[in-house]
Amino acid sequence: MNYLMLAVAIVAEVCATTAMKQSDGLTRMPWTVATVIGYGIAFYFLSLTLRTIPTGIAYAIWSGVGIVLISTAAWLFQGQKLDAAAGIGMGLIVAGVVVMNVFSKASAH
């Protein structure tokens, strides 16, 4: 259940960041409202996650998965270009998150 709450937090953050781009500097009200609501949901569910998952582990997952998802969303919906270097970089980020979770004692509860 803890990782499900973290997943909700990550998806909400990705949606909020995507909405922020669409808000044009927070000048388009519907997108601005979506941004605020999305971040509110994201931080609420992240706070619940931090009750049981160590902060460093939760944040590594949050940031790693978030980077991959927001980059993918920007590529799909906003015309952002992703080249080989971007793909390699995201792969290294994911590898780092996996190493932290699988091999680090920091992930022990």
Side-chain angles (χ1 to χ4, degrees):
M1 187 64 150
N2 301 322
Y3 286 96
L4 178 62
M5 287 189 293
L6 182 56
V8 169
I10 292 166
V11 169
E13 187 269 334
V14 169
C15 290
T17 301
T18 302
M20 185 187 307
K21 170 71 173 163
Q22 298 302 116
S23 77
D24 193 30
L26 303 178
T27 61
R28 297 170 64 200
M29 196 51 60
W31 292 108
T32 299
V33 170
T35 300
V36 171
I37 291 170
Y39 280 123
I41 293 167
F43 287 120
Y44 173 72
F45 278 94
L46 180 61
S47 74
L48 296 178
T49 300
L50 294 177
R51 289 178 173 171
T52 55
I53 298 174
T55 305
I57 296 302
Y59 203 79
I61 295 168
W62 161 285
S63 58
V65 173
I67 287 168
V68 172
L69 289 180
I70 195 63
S71 296
T72 303
W75 174 69
L76 289 171
F77 304 117
Q78 298 171 342
Q80 177 177 320
K81 305 294 184 220
L82 294 176
D83 57 12
I88 292 167
M90 287 188 286
L92 290 170
I93 290 167
V94 170
V97 171
V98 169
V99 167
M100 272 188 82
N101 278 282
V102 174
F103 298 108
S104 174
K105 291 183 177 137
S107 65
H109 299 238

